[in-house]
């Protein structure tokens, strides 16, 4: 728990995923035979491509213009 996942697909293949952390924790993302471990701070997000390579990390509190607690 504590994560929200958004995924984009094309022709049955994952093209991108965004992992949003509500509580701040580690997680393991698996897709096919691929696997990646992530440490995401509370209120941050990590974007991955279809090969589970990190595209970017975002401090969502700053992005939304809210103060970081």
């Amino acid at each position: 728990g504590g994560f929200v996942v958004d995924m984009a697909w094309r022709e049955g293949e994952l093209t991108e995923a965004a992992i949003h952390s509500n509580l701040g924790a580690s997680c393991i993302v698996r897709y096919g035979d691929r696997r990646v471990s992530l440490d995401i701070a509370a209120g941050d997000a990590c974007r991955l491509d279809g090969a589970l390579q990190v595209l970017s990390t975002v401090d969502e509190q700053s992005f939304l213009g809210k103060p970081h607690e």
Side-chain angles (χ1 to χ4, degrees):
F3 295 96
V4 174
V5 179
D6 296 312
M7 295 181 284
W9 301 85
R10 183 179 305 129
E11 297 178 12
E13 297 289 324
L14 179 69
T15 58
E16 190 172 317
I19 316 298
H20 309 266
S21 177
N22 294 324
L23 305 175
S26 299
C27 67
I28 297 173
V29 178
R30 293 183 182 108
Y31 174 62
D33 61 353
R34 290 167 249 158
R35 170 184 166 143
V36 64
S37 295
L38 303 171
D39 291 312
I40 308 172
D44 289 358
C46 183
R47 286 180 50 233
L48 305 170
D49 66 13
L52 301 186
Q53 298 295 312
V54 175
L55 296 173
S56 65
T57 56
V58 176
D59 176 341
E60 293 187 329
Q61 299 298 323
S62 295
F63 182 76
L64 296 174
K66 296 178 184 174
H68 216 327
E69 297 178 16

